[in-house]
Amino acid sequence: MIRPEVLSPAGDMECLESALKFGADAVFLAGNMFGMRTASKNFTEEELQKAVKLAHEKGAKIYVTCNTLPRNNEIEELPHFLTYCGEIGVDAFIIADIGVLNMAAKYAPKVHRHISTQAGIVNYETARAFHQLGASRVVLARELPLDEIAQIRAKIPNDLEIECFVHGAMCVSFSGRCLISAYLTGRDANRGDCAQPCRWKYHLYEENREGQFFPVEQEDGGTYLYNSRDMCMIEHIPELVKAGVSSLKIEGRAKSAYYAAVTTNAYRHAVDDFMAMGENYHLQPWIKEELEKISHREYSTGFYFGNEPGQVTNNGGYIRKYDFVGVCNDSIENVAHITQRNRFFVGDTLDILPPDGFSFNTKVIKLINKNGEDVEAANHAMEQLEMVTDKPVPAGSLMRLKRE
């Protein structure tokens, strides 16, 4: 049985470092052009080089997204970018456009070419065609059930890998091809600039009754017409592997380093447990619980089991059960030096996620600010504090506080 890759998102260097620290086999990210997430900070050329070096030192890979559909005025900038990525050792490009695919083969022939989910691959003939054009991997459309993925796996070359999304936000449109954002705001989702109008709250108006609105359903807050649930396949690692999925992809390049760490850690442990236990595998409850400690919409299994993700029509917000409150920079016994991210108090019980990935609770006994003064609360974002706890907090740990 082939061990599946855990593929994590990174919108900036902090996200990359978190994903690698918590066990990513590979990380996908973007340069300042040609990637589908303009909301992310993304990576300059210098940062790309640093990212590749850092990943390779940890035995991980870097995949660079080139999955927009570039216009004529942008295509001239591709040769330099592709050549540069090849020179610094990028492991693969993620590509949606056939012209970009051809250019990548020409300007960076040693870099693997993966076909983006934006290409909408839903059958084995399309997968074969891309393989003949030089692709080493296809990222299948999110709308496919597992039985069809298994059929594709059975009918494509053995050296053509399959990558599938297993966690994160779901788009209301087929494989991200939505134009609602472009129509309503002028921001083109297919060029990485989606305003996410599918998450907006809508009301119905009648043209002769100015100023009056009529809810589409009986909810005071309006209705959310296109609000897809998030995907979570943590309970179905065996089914994914048996269907022939080579890479388990976590969505979220516009999300935080904390999100990258928690999701990577959960899927890393689930995959490792499955590979170790085989037919005796069972998901440890704590792994599933970890994915409740990030902000998310209601979870679903996407389209994998023949159903649709479904819409949440009575709210458009996230479920937040925990707040990310800080990072431990270093520690000696029960004294930790931390950077605060959200407010917490002396006496609070914190949920700690250390680099080994097994969380535990500890109580905050004392907080001391940079002036050496005792304080009752960590009030200021990015404040440096000394924290005394009843259990040691390892360097690199993430600190969470459960909401009441």
Side-chain angles (χ1 to χ4, degrees), residues 16-17 24 68 79 110 157 229 235 239 261 302 306 321 346 376 388:
L16 171 72
E17 291 171 349
T68 59
K110 294 183 180 180
R229 290 180 171 88
E235 296 182 88
E239 294 98 313
K321 297 181 180 179
V346 171
E376 289 300 310
V388 180

Side-chain angles (χ1 to χ4, degrees), residues 6 15 18 32 36 137 155 165 170 182 234 257 267 386 404:
V6 176
C15 293
S18 287
N32 287 331
M36 284 289 292
R137 178 182 294 187
K155 292 179 179 292
F165 282 92
M170 294 286 288
I234 195 67
Y267 282 89
E386 188 174 280
E404 295 182 355

Side-chain angles (χ1 to χ4, degrees), residues 152-399:
I152 291 172
R153 175 69 275 169
K155 292 179 179 292
I156 61 175
N158 291 335
D159 62 343
L160 180 58
E161 298 176 336
I162 289 177
E163 178 179 307
C164 291
F165 282 92
V166 297
H167 197 93
M170 294 286 288
C171 181
V172 70
S173 178
F174 180 83
S175 291
R177 295 179 179 180
C178 184
L179 284 174
I180 299 175
S181 178
Y183 288 147
L184 295 183
T185 70
R187 291 172 53 178
D188 190 345
N190 296 299
R191 294 170 63 76
D193 201 23
C194 186
Q196 293 197 324
C198 57
R199 310 297 186 186
W200 296 355
K201 177 173 63 179
Y202 291 91
H203 291 289
L204 176 66
Y205 287 83
E206 201 282 324
E207 73 174 317
N208 294 319
R209 290 171 174 80
E210 184 176 353
Q212 298 182 45
F213 70 84
F214 303 88
V216 176
E217 61 179 45
Q218 297 300 313
E219 296 290 343
D220 292 340
T223 189
Y224 298 82
L225 297 177
Y226 317 107
N227 191 28
S228 298
R229 290 180 171 88
D230 282 359
M231 180 191 292
C232 178
M233 287 291 287
I234 195 67
E235 296 182 88
H236 302 286
I237 302 299
E239 294 98 313
L240 288 160
V241 175
K242 290 172 184 177
V245 178
S246 315
S247 179
L248 309 180
K249 188 172 194 171
I250 300 167
E251 183 274 339
R253 281 197 292 120
K255 296 182 180 177
S256 68
Y258 172 68
Y259 170 92
V262 174
T263 53
T264 300
N265 181 62
Y267 282 89
R268 170 79 283 142
H269 281 282
V271 167
D272 288 351
D273 285 354
F274 174 64
M275 297 307 297
M277 297 179 188
E279 294 300 321
N280 296 318
Y281 171 76
H282 62 276
L283 180 69
Q284 298 185 67
W286 72 264
I287 297 177
K288 183 179 178 182
E289 289 169 9
E290 276 296 306
L291 295 176
E292 296 295 335
K293 298 177 183 179
I294 54 173
S295 295
H296 63 90
R297 297 180 181 89
E298 290 184 22
Y299 283 137
S300 75
T301 53
F303 293 89
Y304 280 113
F305 296 101
N307 300 314
E308 59 187 34
Q311 310 296 312
V312 179
T313 58
N314 63 349
N315 70 78
Y318 284 92
I319 299 168
R320 292 183 176 91
K321 297 181 180 179
Y322 285 76
D323 289 321
F324 172 43
V325 297
V327 178
C328 177
N329 304 317
D330 59 71
S331 63
I332 300 175
E333 297 182 345
N334 288 33
V335 179
H337 296 95
I338 69 165
T339 301
Q340 189 262 25
R341 296 299 178 89
N342 278 292
R343 193 181 195 199
F344 66 96
F345 295 84
V346 171
D348 282 342
T349 296
L350 300 182
D351 184 313
I352 306 298
L353 182 64
D356 67 12
F358 296 97
S359 65
F360 64 91
N361 290 338
T362 188
K363 187 173 182 179
V364 181
I365 297 172
K366 193 173 186 179
L367 288 170
I368 303 169
N369 67 18
K370 63 181 180 181
N371 298 320
E373 302 164 334
D374 285 7
V375 293
E376 289 300 310
N379 281 323
H380 309 294
M382 303 305 292
E383 182 179 13
Q384 303 295 306
L385 295 160
E386 188 174 280
M387 180 178 73
V388 180
T389 55
D390 64 352
K391 296 176 186 174
V393 177
S397 295
L398 305 180
M399 301 153 44

Side-chain angles (χ1 to χ4, degrees), residues 11-13 29-33 41-52 64 81 84-85 88:
D12 58 26
M13 193 61 71
L29 48 80
N32 287 331
M33 293 183 69
K41 291 181 181 178
N42 295 321
F43 290 72
T44 64
E45 287 191 353
E46 293 76 14
E47 288 170 335
L48 276 176
Q49 185 172 19
K50 181 180 178 182
V52 171
V64 172
F81 181 71
Y84 178 77
C85 287
I88 64 173

Side-chain angles (χ1 to χ4, degrees), residues 73-122:
N73 64 320
E74 297 168 318
I75 208 79
E76 295 176 356
E77 301 189 47
L78 261 171
H80 167 77
F81 181 71
L82 297 171
T83 300
Y84 178 77
C85 287
E87 291 173 347
I88 64 173
V90 165
D91 296 283
F93 296 119
I94 303 174
I95 297 168
D97 182 88
I98 194 169
V100 176
L101 179 64
N102 187 56
M103 294 177 74
K106 178 179 179 181
Y107 292 103
K110 294 183 180 180
V111 180
H112 286 277
R113 297 176 289 285
H114 299 171
I115 306 304
S116 170
T117 191
Q118 293 296 116
I121 300 172
V122 296

